[in-house]
Amino acid sequence: MYHKILVTVDLNDPASYELALPQAIELAKASAGELHLLTVVPDMGMPLVEGFFPAGYEEQALDAAKKKLDSLARERLPADTPHEQHIALGNITQRVIEAVEETGADLVVMASHDPDFAQNFLVGSHAGKVVRRSPVSVLVVRA
């Protein structure tokens, strides 16, 4: 089955892990696999925007994300679940794909909200982009 399962976590949206994380835990248990929890802190996107934030903002955001992810892992993962935690900065889809390659994941588990045609048409969902670009299978759990 799956030996390394990458689970994407949006720390600002509990729906991103409330349903997806239990699914990933069950898959990992069934196959004696390990979990890789990934949260991505979006970057500013443009140097112009970055100028409006205080110096060191990205480092502070990464530190805060690490603390939240540590807390989430302690609260939600059974003690006997092998796992690693990963924090990334940048484009969410790109960082997920990079994490698949870096961790050797053979499955990505992520949540997605009910599709909103207008939003997906204009922006596109992160889950949809990962599904299209991922070199491995992606389990999208409807949140």
Side-chain angles (χ1 to χ4, degrees), residues 12-48:
N12 295 318
D13 184 8
S16 78
Y17 54 82
E18 287 176 342
L19 296 175
L21 191 55
Q23 293 288 323
I25 291 168
E26 288 303 314
L27 287 167
K29 282 184 182 179
S31 60
E34 64 184 44
L35 296 179
H36 291 266
L37 304 180
L38 170 69
T39 192
V40 179
V41 176
D43 62 3
M44 303 300 151
M46 298 173 33
L48 176 66

Side-chain angles (χ1 to χ4, degrees), residues 16-97:
S16 78
Y17 54 82
E18 287 176 342
L19 296 175
L21 191 55
Q23 293 288 323
I25 291 168
E26 288 303 314
L27 287 167
K29 282 184 182 179
S31 60
E34 64 184 44
L35 296 179
H36 291 266
L37 304 180
L38 170 69
T39 192
V40 179
V41 176
D43 62 3
M44 303 300 151
M46 298 173 33
L48 176 66
V49 174
E50 193 173 311
F52 290 99
F53 288 85
Y57 172 79
E58 289 177 342
E59 290 80 16
Q60 292 173 0
L62 289 168
D63 287 342
K66 182 181 180 337
K67 289 176 185 171
K68 284 184 179 180
L69 192 60
D70 287 344
S71 176
L72 177 88
R74 278 193 310 275
E75 294 170 8
R76 302 266 178 163
L77 293 179
D80 62 343
T81 303
H83 71 281
E84 291 184 30
Q85 299 170 42
H86 309 273
I87 311 290
L89 174 70
N91 175 282
I92 294 168
T93 303
Q94 183 178 346
R95 294 298 179 242
V96 171
I97 299 303

